[in-house]
Amino acid sequence: MSKRERVYIVDENDNVIDEKWRDETIPADRIRIVGVWIENNSEQVLIAQRSYRKKIDQGLWGPAVAGTVEAGDSYESTAIRELIEEINLDINSLSTSLIAVDKINYGTEKTGLRIAARFKIFVDLPISSFKIDSNEVEKIKWIDKKILTQDITKNPDNYVPHFKVDIA
């Protein structure tokens, strides 16, 4: 995190109950995040390995893009911003749009509580079309959905905790 971020603290129904600096939140504070699943026409999902520079879940695999919703931002605007920041994908220049999937509550003692808005987009681009931000992402890869589901079951410790639920 290169700059301080203000985040909303929300209840389990996503109602704002407070606002804090992110670095001053405690595990009992539920914050808003987004995850974006990118799929192609070959039944593959683009997944990202989190940077080893991250404070939480370093080196674990998860959705192609994930990020914290800053106070004043919407889930959708955060997803669009994170697509550009993390993998240099500007969906405004493509003939695709975000599809809102759902919101889930999850949390661990290590990461704190989260409410995650999940989005999906369909993009048929080679891996070389993406430019990753090494502060956020170590690497990305296209993987067959079926193989990914099997690997999450076989090697759950290689994936961020909430990803286990998201792909199923």
Side-chain angles (χ1 to χ4, degrees), residues 1-156:
M1 199 167 33
S2 58
K3 66 178 178 83
R4 287 189 88 194
E5 301 170 324
R6 296 285 295 175
V7 295
Y8 291 132
I9 308 304
V10 296
D11 64 18
E12 64 277 358
N13 296 311
D14 201 23
N15 298 305
V16 175
I17 56 176
D18 199 0
E19 183 179 320
K20 292 183 179 180
W21 291 107
R22 183 171 181 200
D23 59 3
E24 294 176 359
T25 62
I26 59 172
D29 292 330
R30 183 183 317 273
I31 65 172
R32 293 173 170 170
I33 66 167
V34 298
V36 182
W37 282 255
I38 301 174
E39 297 183 17
N40 65 21
N41 288 331
S42 299
E43 299 289 318
Q44 296 176 315
V45 178
L46 186 70
I47 61 173
Q49 183 182 31
R50 289 177 58 86
S51 171
Y52 288 101
R53 297 178 181 99
K54 301 295 278 181
K55 287 174 75 173
I56 299 169
D57 297 331
Q58 304 93 336
L60 298 183
W61 289 90
V65 171
T68 302
V69 179
E70 296 180 27
D73 288 349
S74 69
Y75 285 108
E76 185 174 355
S77 68
T78 299
I80 292 168
R81 183 187 73 239
E82 294 292 339
L83 281 162
I84 294 168
E85 288 177 3
E86 293 187 11
I87 60 171
N88 197 36
L89 180 63
D90 183 357
I91 63 169
N92 294 319
S93 66
L94 302 172
S95 59
T96 190
S97 57
L98 285 175
I99 300 166
V101 176
D102 61 10
K103 289 183 189 173
I104 60 168
N105 279 290
Y106 74 94
T108 68
E109 291 177 15
K110 181 178 177 185
T111 63
L113 299 172
R114 305 286 187 263
I115 186 162
R118 301 185 305 171
F119 295 90
K120 182 186 286 190
I121 60 171
F122 293 91
V123 176
D124 267 320
L125 293 172
I127 206 79
S128 60
S129 298
F130 303 101
K131 181 181 175 195
I132 63 172
D133 175 351
S134 61
N135 290 317
E136 301 287 332
V137 176
E138 286 295 318
K139 58 186 164 185
I140 57 174
K141 66 180 178 181
W142 286 110
I143 186 169
D144 180 84
K145 285 187 207 180
K146 191 173 189 176
I147 292 170
L148 178 59
T149 301
Q150 292 168 350
D151 195 53
I152 289 171
T153 301
K154 184 177 176 183
N155 302 297

